[in-house]
Amino acid sequence: MPNRRSGDPRLRPRRDARQRPLGSVDRNQPVLGKLLSILRLVYAPVMLWAVMIAEDDTIALAAFVLAVVTDLLDSWLNRKQLGRRPTGELLDVVANTVFVLAATFALWQIDVIPWPIALLVPLRLVGLLAMIPALRSRGVRTLPVHLLGKVAAFCLLVSFPLLYLSHDIPETLDLGLEPSLPIQLAQAFGWAFALWGVLLLWWSLVLYAQEVRRLMATTPPLEKGGATHA
C-alpha cells in the first residue's frame, strides 16, 4: 500500500492545496488592484482643479506622479499572476482612460500640448467605441485588453509630469541664461514618452480593428433571441 512517504501522486494535490491558499490570493489581489484604479479615478478631477483652477504645481505634480506609481503597482500585481479578474482589469482600463483624457485636456488648456496631438487621444477612444456595435452583433461584450494599449497609457502617464514640470519656461531665463539641463531633459523625455504613447495608442487601435474583423468573419451574427446563426 502506498503511503505519504512513498510519494503517492493521489496525495500530492491535497498537500499542495494546503500549502498554497488560492482563495486568499483571489480575494486580496482584486481588492488591491481596484483600490489602485480608484485612486487614479479620484485624482483625475483633483488634477484638473490643480492645473486649471488653483494653478497649484505641487498638487498637480503629486497627482501626475501618483497616477504613474499606481499604474506601475497595478502592472506589478498582474505580473505576479495573482488572479486578476475581468472586472478589475476593466476598471484599470477605465481609470487609465479617464486620467489620460483629463490630463490631455488640462495640458492642452494651458498650452503645454498642441491641439493636433491632444485631439488624437480622444479620437482613438471614439474609434474603440465605434467597434462596440460590431462586437455586440456577435455576442461579445469587450475584447481582451491588449498589452500595447497598457504600454501606451503608461507612456502618456509618464509624459504628463515631465511636460508639466517644464511648462511655461521661457527660451532664456533671467540674466540671459538658458533653461537648466534638468528642465531641458524633462521636456525632451516628456515629448518622447508623449509621442510614443500616442503612436502606440493608435497602433493598438489597428490591432483591435483586426480582431473585430476576424471576429466578424469567423463568428455568425446573433439571432433576435440571442443565439447565433449557423
Side-chain angles (χ1 to χ4, degrees):
M1 288 290 293
N3 51 39
R4 293 180 182 270
R5 292 185 179 181
S6 64
D8 186 356
R10 291 173 297 178
L11 300 175
R12 293 173 186 170
R14 187 175 301 174
R15 184 173 65 249
D16 294 340
R18 290 197 302 268
Q19 293 175 353
R20 187 177 61 182
L22 291 177
S24 61
V25 171
D26 289 340
R27 288 193 299 268
N28 293 334
Q29 192 276 337
V31 172
L32 291 176
K34 289 178 181 178
L35 286 177
L36 293 173
S37 300
I38 290 172
L39 275 176
R40 289 197 294 281
L41 286 173
V42 169
Y43 265 79
V46 174
M47 177 272 302
L48 284 173
W49 169 81
V51 173
M52 299 174 56
I53 300 176
E55 298 182 356
D56 191 316
D57 293 344
T58 302
I59 296 178
L61 283 173
F64 287 133
V65 172
L66 182 65
V68 176
V69 172
T70 55
D71 189 61
L72 274 176
L73 290 175
D74 210 356
S75 299
W76 178 78
L77 289 175
N78 285 336
R79 286 197 300 271
K80 289 295 184 179
Q81 297 180 351
L82 297 179
R84 185 69 165 180
R85 294 178 180 177
T87 53
E89 191 174 57
L90 181 61
L91 182 60
D92 175 46
V93 173
V94 170
N96 280 348
T97 301
V98 169
F99 196 95
V100 166
L101 287 174
T104 302
F105 176 77
L107 295 184
W108 168 65
Q109 282 291 308
I110 61 174
D111 296 326
V112 175
I113 297 178
W115 71 264
I117 295 180
L119 189 61
L120 289 174
V121 176
L123 281 181
R124 186 259 188 181
L125 178 61
V126 172
L128 283 177
L129 295 177
M131 300 178 189
I132 292 179
L135 293 176
R136 296 297 172 85
S137 69
R138 266 39 180 194
V140 178
R141 298 185 63 182
T142 58
L143 289 173
V145 177
H146 201 285
L147 177 62
L148 204 62
K150 283 286 296 177
V151 174
F154 177 74
C155 287
L156 289 173
L157 290 176
V158 172
S159 73
F160 295 143
L162 295 175
L163 292 176
Y164 186 79
L165 188 64
S166 59
H167 85 292
D168 199 23
I169 300 297
E171 293 183 0
T172 58
L173 302 177
D174 293 339
L175 304 178
L177 299 176
E178 294 185 356
S180 63
L181 180 60
I183 292 177
Q184 293 178 354
L185 289 176
Q187 192 172 43
F189 279 99
W191 276 113
F193 276 108
L195 294 177
W196 271 110
V198 172
L199 176 63
L200 294 178
L201 272 183
W202 280 84
W203 190 1
S204 67
L205 180 64
V206 173
L207 296 180
Y208 281 127
Q210 291 176 348
E211 289 291 330
V212 172
R213 182 180 179 182
R214 188 179 300 112
L215 179 69
M216 298 289 288
T218 58
T219 305
L222 288 175
E223 295 180 350
K224 291 183 178 181
T228 58
H229 291 290

